[in-house]
Amino acid sequence: MIDARRLRTLRAVADHRTVTAAAAALYLTPSAVSQQLAALEQETGHALLARDGRGVRLTAAGEILVCHADAVLAQLERAEADLAAYASGARGEVTVASFATGIAQVLAPAIGTLARTAPGVRLKVLDAEGDASLPMLLDGLADLAVAVEYRGAPRPDDQRLARFPLFAEPFQAVLPLEHRLADGSGPVAMAELAEEPWIGPYPGNPCHDVVLLACEHAGFAPRLVHSSDDFRAVIALASAGAGVALVPRSALRGEELARVAVRAVDSELATRKVFAAVRGGAEEHPLIRPVLHALGVAAQALEEV
């Protein structure tokens, strides 16, 4: 019999590429992880990992087993959800990892909805960058993630996750007031900004990927002169004439915009797609289900504004 706990360990090593990193994610010692992997190889009769520089990689047998592990672990999540539903009901805490705008846009309103519709459910909110919440979910550090699409994210058909679209919001051009396009009407053509100095998030931030994709589709690579993950700083730099930027619409709310021009752009790629995710099989858990519903209500309200 293959031990499901050892499958979870193999999955963590496949995700993190080193025994040390997997051990940290699982709150185990590297020695304990190595012992579990050795036992799993003995159970299966196959070498599952091979050295790869300073890390490890899955062998062909390891790749096969990880695919089955995803299905097995998702089924175990469903079993836990069914047992929890049978045992009682929705009373307990759900840990949610989300980027800051997601907290403001949907998580905070969801807390109010839950107070009325599922008072036994408490949310514990963890502020995480847009590309960090999914790894936290998969590592068991969160029960639910509010995340955005980004390069390198798990694929939509990844069996480890169940996804639920929440909302999509456009990015808008933020220009210095004296910019030649500041006073125009209608969307700004992205190609018109090809020669401009740019202000944008650091690589690794999903918003950085959106900016690059929109610019690449318009036929140029942006000349990123200034970098900040804080959109208040980005707006301040634009107001000082330091460059142009693309900023998600929601990040502009409540900011000082008197010294910048905000224009729509002609790129459909300049859009941030936000979704909720849980580990595959957990979507019917009696604590998770009302949270997903409350997030959907909050997202629907955004579309009606």
Side-chain angles (χ1 to χ4, degrees), residues 166-194:
L166 292 177
F167 64 92
E169 63 172 334
F171 281 57
Q172 295 182 295
V174 177
L175 312 171
L177 278 181
E178 64 275 13
H179 194 278
R180 58 189 173 83
L181 299 175
D183 295 327
S185 60
V188 171
M190 286 292 300
E192 291 278 351
L193 303 174

Side-chain angles (χ1 to χ4, degrees), residues 203-266:
N205 185 317
C207 292
H208 177 88
D209 292 343
V210 172
V211 173
L212 258 60
L213 284 170
C215 292
E216 289 171 2
H217 191 257
F220 70 97
R223 182 165 57 93
L224 285 165
V225 177
H226 308 286
S227 297
S228 175
D229 288 334
D230 186 335
F231 287 119
R232 289 173 297 180
V234 171
I235 294 166
L237 287 168
S239 71
V244 302
L246 290 182
V247 176
R249 182 173 59 190
S250 62
L252 297 170
R253 293 173 184 156
E255 298 298 332
E256 177 53 57
L257 302 176
R259 298 185 60 195
V260 294
V262 178
R263 299 277 308 278
V265 295
D266 67 349

Side-chain angles (χ1 to χ4, degrees), residues 63-77:
E63 294 281 3
I64 292 170
L65 188 58
V66 159
C67 290
H68 288 287
D70 291 340
V72 169
L73 295 174
Q75 190 60 43
L76 287 174
E77 291 279 357

